[in-house]
Amino acid sequence: QQQVKQSPQSLIVQKGGISIINCAYENTAFDYFPWYQQFPGKGPALLIAIRPDVSEKKEGRFTISFNKSAKQFSLHIMDSQPGDSATYFCAASPSYNTDKLIFGTGTRLQVFP
Amino acid sequence: EAQVTQNPRYLITVTGKKLTVTCSQNMNHEYMSWYRQDPGLGLRQIYYSMNVEVTDKGDVPEGYKVSRKEKRNFPLILESPSPNQTSLYFCASAGGGRGTDTQYFGPGTRLTVL
């Protein structure tokens, strides 16, 4: 079965620090890689997404780094804030079926003041 | 307000008693999808629909049914629920008719099957 492996399972960061969450995939047909953010009691919401034609995408404090040869991508949160405390999911979609979205197992991020 | 709504938000039921979780979106989106979220497993896609009367299986469709008779509604049906279907369920919709368009998630339905 197609998989997206996400690590770490949980992450504790001090305010102002950098949070880094990593994902790895196996299927080379994946060509869309979004990150979703989920606050407690809420549904996930799209945070940022990347396609493999670029190696990095930045939106404010959030950056996706993409390594096509290693089949890995990561989310970097710069200057982490307590309001960033949430669960983050990476995901991937194959080019041959853009209706499917395969999620990682999630990372619970806690940012302490 | 643009949103995806799910009902009920919480449900406790017993094994074998048929139930339906409703999902409705007011954004005129073509694509809708159901996911279940379990600790340590993340979100797993159950079924999705690209448009009215068009549905397809996701990664974990066993024990579930769906229908898409209207664009705005995408109910999830459990005809004979079992305890392993105890989970947090999310409905999502996307405007462009594909899963790679931004998906907007509902608030979730927490289901317990005894």
Side-chain angles (χ1 to χ4, degrees):
Chain A
Q1 186 175 353
Q2 302 164 341
Q3 285 189 336
V4 177
K5 296 181 180 179
Q6 183 171 347
S7 63
Q9 188 174 4
S10 63
L11 182 60
I12 299 174
V13 173
Q14 203 154 17
K15 179 182 175 182
I18 302 172
S19 303
I20 301 173
I21 304 170
N22 301 299
C23 284
Y25 61 97
E26 301 168 352
N27 189 340
T28 55
F30 287 154
D31 72 346
Y32 173 72
F33 303 92
W35 286 88
Y36 279 78
Q37 179 188 54
Q38 183 183 31
F39 293 107
K42 304 290 185 183
L46 179 66
L47 184 63
I48 186 172
I50 197 169
R51 292 193 181 271
D53 52 341
V54 297
S55 60
E56 186 175 282
K57 183 174 182 179
K58 184 176 181 180
E59 291 185 1
R61 297 184 293 109
F62 300 89
T63 300
I64 300 179
S65 296
F66 184 79
N67 186 329
K68 189 174 182 178
S69 60
K71 292 185 285 185
Q72 296 175 345
F73 58 109
S74 59
L75 177 69
H76 296 237
I77 306 174
M78 310 300 288
D79 186 27
S80 298
Q81 299 296 313
D84 297 329
S85 297
T87 299
Y88 293 81
F89 292 96
C90 63
S93 180
S95 57
Y96 52 81
N97 187 349
T98 56
D99 297 310
K100 295 198 73 171
L101 200 55
I102 298 157
F103 283 83
T105 51
T107 297
R108 185 185 176 199
L109 171 65
Q110 295 174 277
V111 181
F112 286 96
Chain B
E1 179 189 357
Q3 59 183 348
V4 177
T5 57
Q6 296 179 228
N7 282 292
R9 295 288 313 278
Y10 302 90
L11 179 60
I12 300 175
T13 189
V14 296
T15 299
K17 186 176 181 181
K18 181 179 179 179
L19 67 92
T20 299
V21 183
T22 64
C23 173
S24 183
Q25 51 93 4
N26 62 1
M27 296 171 279
N28 201 35
H29 284 172
E30 295 180 354
Y31 179 94
M32 298 185 75
S33 183
W34 276 102
Y35 298 88
R36 60 178 290 174
Q37 182 176 359
D38 302 288
L41 297 176
L43 290 150
R44 293 180 293 168
Q45 195 171 31
I46 303 171
Y47 270 95
Y48 57 90
S49 170
M50 297 75 78
N51 213 326
V52 175
E53 302 291 2
V54 184
T55 63
D56 206 350
K57 297 177 181 178
D59 291 322
V60 288
E62 294 78 20
Y64 304 95
K65 285 178 59 176
V66 293
S67 68
R68 187 91 182 272
K69 293 184 170 58
E70 304 169 281
K71 197 172 188 177
R72 64 182 293 131
N73 296 322
F74 191 43
L76 180 69
I77 304 158
L78 285 71
E79 295 209 327
S80 185
S82 62
N84 64 12
Q85 293 178 297
T86 293
S87 186
L88 178 58
Y89 290 86
F90 287 100
C91 180
S93 71
R98 299 177 307 177
T100 49
D101 299 308
T102 300
Q103 292 198 30
Y104 296 87
F105 283 77
T109 294
R110 186 167 292 281
L111 171 66
T112 301
V113 183
L114 302 175

